[in-house]
């Protein structure tokens, strides 16, 4: 995990968004790891974006996962979902995600909407603590990773967690081919 100085996330609520603290307090008993194995590390908030973070902290892109919020529409109905993909890939929003959500149009949610609806900071959004009625679409490569680094809900820290734990979050759907390798 590069040069990150991690500690159990529950012991550092100051490094987490409020929805993340709440989700950790309700960590599922059936999860593949105990909640004390969800770790957090402080980082420079100016280095929260993936490329800058990886370079500064010695974390590979293959260890880093991105959580993006998408909005899909069919008629007047808008559906939101989170996509969790490795930083070496990009979510197939117009193909796999659109079909999974059964919507006509699908795109990344506008920043203001994503921040407002999640209660998290842009650049720090994490799948842990999202609205309960949102599906969390997790690329199968994420759960195959022994550990990944994801946002913590805020820009001044990152969460380190076993990849399989993200596939076991409430509302998670593990999808083969959710993302495509970056060229």
């Amino acid at each position: 995990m590069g040069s990150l100085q991690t500690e159990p996330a529950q012991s550092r609520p100051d490094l987490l968004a409020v929805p993340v603290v709440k989700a950790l307090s309700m960590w599922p008993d059936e999860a593949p790891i105990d909640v004390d194995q969800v770790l957090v590390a402080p980082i420079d908030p100016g280095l929260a974006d993936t490329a800058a973070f990886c370079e500064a902290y010695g974390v590979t892109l293959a260890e880093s996962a991105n959580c993006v919020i998408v909005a899909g529409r069919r008629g007047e109905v808008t559906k939101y979902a989170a996509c969790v993909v490795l930083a070496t890939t990009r979510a197939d929003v117009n193909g796999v995600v659109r079909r999974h959500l059964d919507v006509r149009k699908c795109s990344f949610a506008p920043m203001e909407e994503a921040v407002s609806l999640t209660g998290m900071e842009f650049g720090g959004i994490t799948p842990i603590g999202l609205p309960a009625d949102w599906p969390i679409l997790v690329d199968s490569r994420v759960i195959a990773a022994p550990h990944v680094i994801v946002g913590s809900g805020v820009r001044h820290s990152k969460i380190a967690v076993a990849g399989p734990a993200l596939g076991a979050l409430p509302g998670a759907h593990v999808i083969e081919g959710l993302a495509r390798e970056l060229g």
Side-chain angles (χ1 to χ4, degrees), residues 39-93:
L39 307 175
V40 68
I43 66 164
D44 178 335
L47 299 171
D49 293 334
T50 304
F53 163 76
C54 288
E55 183 175 333
Y57 292 94
V59 173
T60 68
L61 289 174
E63 294 173 298
S64 186
N66 291 321
C67 178
V68 295
I69 305 304
V70 297
R73 292 187 58 86
R74 179 178 286 281
E76 297 303 313
V77 177
T78 301
K79 295 180 182 179
Y80 293 94
C83 297
V84 184
V85 300
L86 293 179
T88 57
T89 66
R90 182 175 176 94
D92 182 4
V93 175

Side-chain angles (χ1 to χ4, degrees), residues 26-34:
M26 300 182 306
W27 193 253
D29 289 335
E30 65 277 3
I33 61 170
D34 292 331

Side-chain angles (χ1 to χ4, degrees), residues 96-135:
V96 175
V97 176
R98 182 182 56 77
R99 286 188 300 273
H100 185 84
L101 294 178
D102 190 29
V103 294
R104 288 195 185 278
K105 292 187 175 194
C106 193
S107 60
F108 296 106
M111 177 180 63
E112 302 80 28
E113 274 182 42
V115 168
S116 172
L117 295 171
T118 64
M120 299 180 197
E121 295 177 3
F122 189 75
I125 294 176
T126 184
I128 301 169
L130 291 173
D133 59 340
W134 287 13

